[in-house]
Amino acid sequence: MRIIKTYTYEEMSSKAADIIASQIKSKPDSVLGLATGSTPKCLYEKLINKYVEGELDFSQVRTVNLDEYKGLDKDNEQSYYYYMVNKFFNHINIQEGNYHLLNGMAEDSDEECKRYNEIIRSLGQIDLQLLGVGLNGHIGFNEPNDYFSKEIYLDALKEKTIKSNSRFFKDPEDVPRFAYTLAIKDIMQAKKILLIANGKNKAEIMREAICGKITPQVPVSILQLHQDVTIVADCEALSLI
Ligand code: F6R
C-alpha cells in the first residue's frame, strides 16, 4: 500500500489525476473503474483539463462505474448516470459505447446485475479502479456486512449512508434505500486500486482502513490484501494515522 499525503483537496485531486493520466498514457485502451460522490469531483475536472490541453486522449478508454441508486433515472440529477455524463463524459472524447453504467430503472434487478456482470467479464480485468470511501467504510455501495460480496448485487443502504448522502437531496426521504454495486470481489480483481479521501470526517475510517482489522464490517479494510493500492488523501483524512 502506497500512501500519498497532500495538504489540500485540490492537491489530492491533482495527484490522483496524474496517476490516472499515467495509466491512460501507458495503456490507451485502459479499462477504468470509476466512482462518483463528492470526493472525485475535482479529480474529474483535472482530467477534463488535461484532455482540453491535449495531454490526454480518451478515445480508446473504456470505463465501468461502481454503483447506481435503484429507482433514479438517467435524468435525475442525483443519479450516478447523470453525474458521470454531465460532469465528465460530455467533456472528453470518450466514445459513447465505451462507458458503462448500471440502470437504476431496470425492472428486473437480477437481470440488471446479470447484464452488468456480463459487461464486466467482456471488458476483462479492470486496469485501475478509482474508489472513494463512505463514513462506515463502504466502497462502491458495499455496506458493512457479515461477508465480503462476490457478485454484483442490490444492497440495502445503512442509516449512516442514507444520512450522509441526504446532503445531496432536497428531502432526506428522497434518498433511495437500495443501490446496485460491483462486488468486493470485482473491486479486488482490479490490477490497481486508487483510493482517494479528504476531510476530517474521513479520518476515523481511514485509520480503520489502513491500520484496522480486516473485516467485512469495514469493507474498505479488505484493500490491505490487495497487492497494488495507492491512497491519495489530504492531511485531515490522514490525521489519525
Ligand atoms: C460512489 C461510491 C461511494 C462513495 C462514498 C464516498 O460511486 O463509490 O462509495 O465513494 O460514498 O462518498 P463521498 O465522496 O461523497 O464522500
Side-chain angles (χ1 to χ4, degrees):
M1 203 177 250
R2 278 178 297 279
I3 302 176
I4 300 173
K5 181 167 158 181
T6 68
Y7 288 97
T8 62
Y9 171 64
E10 179 158 12
E11 193 191 351
M12 176 207 82
S13 308
S14 286
K15 289 247 162 35
D18 287 346
I19 292 171
I20 295 178
S22 300
Q23 172 66 41
I24 296 171
K25 284 178 200 166
S26 67
K27 188 178 177 220
D29 63 345
S30 287
V31 178
L32 303 179
L34 297 179
T36 57
S38 56
T39 315
K41 275 188 184 159
C42 179
L43 155 63
Y44 289 131
E45 286 167 18
K46 301 269 176 204
L47 288 174
I48 292 168
N49 287 345
K50 286 180 188 291
Y51 162 69
V52 171
E53 284 161 12
E55 188 191 330
L56 269 188
D57 174 18
F58 290 86
S59 60
Q60 296 179 62
V61 170
R62 286 131 339 126
T63 71
V64 59
N65 261 79
L66 269 174
D67 46 12
E68 179 61 283
Y69 288 117
K70 183 168 174 66
L72 298 192
D73 65 35
K74 294 175 177 179
D75 297 326
N76 187 310
E77 287 182 24
Q78 299 311 330
S79 75
Y80 291 165
Y81 186 97
Y82 187 95
Y83 176 116
M84 290 308 300
V85 170
N86 289 284
K87 289 193 181 8
F88 191 39
F89 299 145
N90 275 352
H91 307 282
I92 55 172
N93 66 332
I94 191 165
Q95 293 183 49
E96 213 175 317
N98 280 354
Y99 58 80
H100 304 280
L101 292 117
L102 284 144
N103 174 10
M105 296 305 284
E107 281 182 15
D108 184 330
S109 304
D110 290 344
E111 277 303 315
E112 179 56 10
C113 293
K114 211 169 131 200
R115 179 190 74 85
Y116 212 59
N117 205 28
E118 276 160 19
I119 289 172
I120 305 268
R121 304 293 150 244
S122 72
L123 289 172
Q125 208 175 0
I126 293 173
D127 291 296
L128 177 65
Q129 175 66 58
L130 173 67
L131 294 176
V133 61
L135 296 178
N136 63 3
H138 70 230
I139 47 177
F141 265 128
N142 289 279
E143 293 280 53
N145 208 333
D146 295 335
Y147 52 85
F148 290 113
S149 58
K150 287 207 251 175
E151 297 273 333
I152 294 167
Y153 68 112
L154 190 63
D155 201 5
L157 305 188
K158 303 273 187 208
E159 269 316 306
K160 198 167 182 176
T161 301
I162 294 169
K163 201 170 157 210
S164 166
N165 288 8
S166 64
R167 74 200 133 117
F168 300 116
F169 291 80
K170 279 194 198 112
D171 183 337
E173 284 306 307
D174 294 342
V175 185
R177 272 28 185 185
F178 290 89
Y180 293 101
T181 183
L182 250 66
I184 295 288
K185 183 175 172 184
D186 301 307
I187 294 170
M188 288 298 280
Q189 282 178 337
K191 282 188 203 159
K192 295 179 197 158
I193 291 180
L194 171 60
L195 173 71
I196 55 174
N198 71 290
K200 229 183 174 106
N201 66 340
K202 295 284 169 77
E204 273 180 35
I205 195 60
M206 288 305 287
R207 179 176 56 191
E208 284 192 66
I210 298 169
C211 314
K213 188 173 141 197
I214 299 168
T215 162
Q217 293 299 337
V218 184
V220 66
S221 64
I222 190 93
L223 300 186
Q224 292 175 36
L225 298 179
H226 193 282
Q227 60 184 11
D228 194 339
V229 177
T230 303
I231 294 177
V232 185
D234 72 357
C235 38
E236 288 191 343
L238 294 175
S239 58
L240 296 179
I241 295 168

